[in-house]
Amino acid sequence: ESSILSMLDDFRDEGEVREYCWQVLRTYPDLKKEDWIIGIEGGDYIYSFNGNYIFITDDIWSFNLIACRPVLDVLVEKIKSLR
């Protein structure tokens, strides 16, 4: 329930979700890839913007964005407005 994928089930596939997510995230001037020393595998990153944190899995096999519900709501609204 903290995944953006479940909120964008009308999108074709993860590739389309990936494309729109990155378009929206790049509009935040303070978007920053965090450098946390935790057990994150390649393709898994924590980003921050506007005082919020999101977890992104982005590799050749899959894409997902995990965040708290209020952050997901804002991102989903912006993504749907782009589409």
Side-chain angles (χ1 to χ4, degrees), residues 49-67:
F49 64 94
N50 287 352
N52 299 297
Y53 292 94
I54 56 174
F55 176 74
I56 295 179
T57 297
D58 190 4
D59 57 32
I60 62 172
W61 299 281
S62 65
F63 176 85
N64 202 352
L65 186 150
I66 308 294

